[in-house]
Structure formats: structure tokens, C-alpha cells
Amino acid sequence: SFENSQEQYKKAAGAVNNLTFRGDLQKAESYSKFLSTVLFAPRKIKATFEIALNPYYYWKTYQISPTVAKKQMLTMLQFLITASTTVIAINKLQDYFAGEDDDDEVNPDIFNIYSSDFMVARLGNTRLDLFAGMRSQLISLARLVTGN
């Protein structure tokens, strides 16, 4: 019950908020109005970094509630595998149906993490980002870390 394990319930609620990209800004909460004018969706940005790029977040969650941490990691892993497989399958099918005459790949930058077309399904001039906006933050981080 909630009375017996308040910390676990709070951690589960926080996990749900992060997985739905409505994460808590924690210490920056008092600056949320300012951050919302400067950044687009600061809660989503923070939640994305927490669930996609921060192993300490999972370790901290595991210390409080192993069940919540395992479920959260499994959900994130399922999402990433499904989105990646779908993007690769769309690109491979397009390459296959493009014909043998066409030597160009549909998306040659699909595995180039520095490219804005990284893990993008291209349908003509339309690009599909199946990663719910996490892809752009990953590309930005890779460019920032490596200086490219």
C-alpha cells in the first residue's frame, strides 16, 4: 500500500512521468517558466537524457525499487529495438524496391550518428523520426562530445 512504501510509489510515478516525457526539473523547477521560453519542452529534454543517456538514473531507481527500474529499462529497450528495426526495415525495403539499376542507397547516412538523417526512415522528401525526438538530442550530444 502507499502508506507502507511511499518512496516506491513516488519513484514509480516519476518513472511514468519520464517515460511519457513529463519529467521533473528538480532543482531547476523554479526556472521552469524561463526555461520554457528559451527551450522547447525542457521537461522532455531532461526526461530524454534521464531515460536514454543516464545510467545513474537507473541505478538510483533500482536502489529504491528494483521492480520499477527493471520495468523501465525493459520498456525503453523494447522501444529502441522496435524503432531501430522499423527504420532499418523501411530503408532496406526501399533499397530493394528501388531496383537494381539504382546504385544509390535510399538513406546512406542511416548509421552516421553525426548526420541529421541518422536512424531516419525517408519516404521521398518526407522523413520519419520514430524515436520521439530522442534522436536529435543524441546527435547533438555526439557532435558536442567529439567536436564534429
Side-chain angles (χ1 to χ4, degrees), residues 3 6 18 26 42 51 74 85 87 100 116 122 124 141:
E3 291 78 27
Q6 290 182 8
N18 276 338
Q26 295 170 340
I51 63 176
L74 184 62
T85 305
V87 168
E100 296 175 12
S116 59
R122 292 190 336 191
L141 183 66

Side-chain angles (χ1 to χ4, degrees), residues 10-108:
K10 288 179 182 178
K11 202 61 180 174
V16 169
N17 285 341
N18 276 338
L19 288 172
T20 57
F21 300 115
R22 295 177 185 98
D24 183 22
L25 293 175
Q26 295 170 340
K27 294 178 182 177
E29 193 67 48
S30 59
Y31 303 107
S32 65
K33 291 218 185 277
F34 171 74
L35 290 172
S36 294
T37 59
V38 177
L39 301 171
F40 178 76
R43 292 177 195 282
K44 181 184 183 309
I45 293 170
K46 186 195 175 282
T48 300
F49 278 113
E50 287 286 318
I51 63 176
L53 303 171
N54 188 0
Y56 177 70
Y57 171 76
Y58 290 104
W59 180 79
K60 191 171 62 174
T61 304
Y62 186 83
Q63 298 301 317
I64 296 169
S65 175
T67 306
V68 171
K70 289 176 187 176
K71 185 67 175 171
Q72 195 172 8
M73 284 189 279
L74 184 62
T75 301
M76 191 64 195
L77 189 61
Q78 288 172 333
F79 169 73
L80 292 175
I81 290 172
T82 302
S84 300
T85 305
T86 304
V87 168
I88 292 167
I90 289 172
N91 279 285
K92 290 299 177 188
L93 283 171
Q94 286 180 322
D95 285 343
Y96 177 77
F97 288 114
E100 296 175 12
D101 302 339
D102 192 9
D103 290 335
D104 295 335
E105 286 186 63
V106 174
N107 183 1

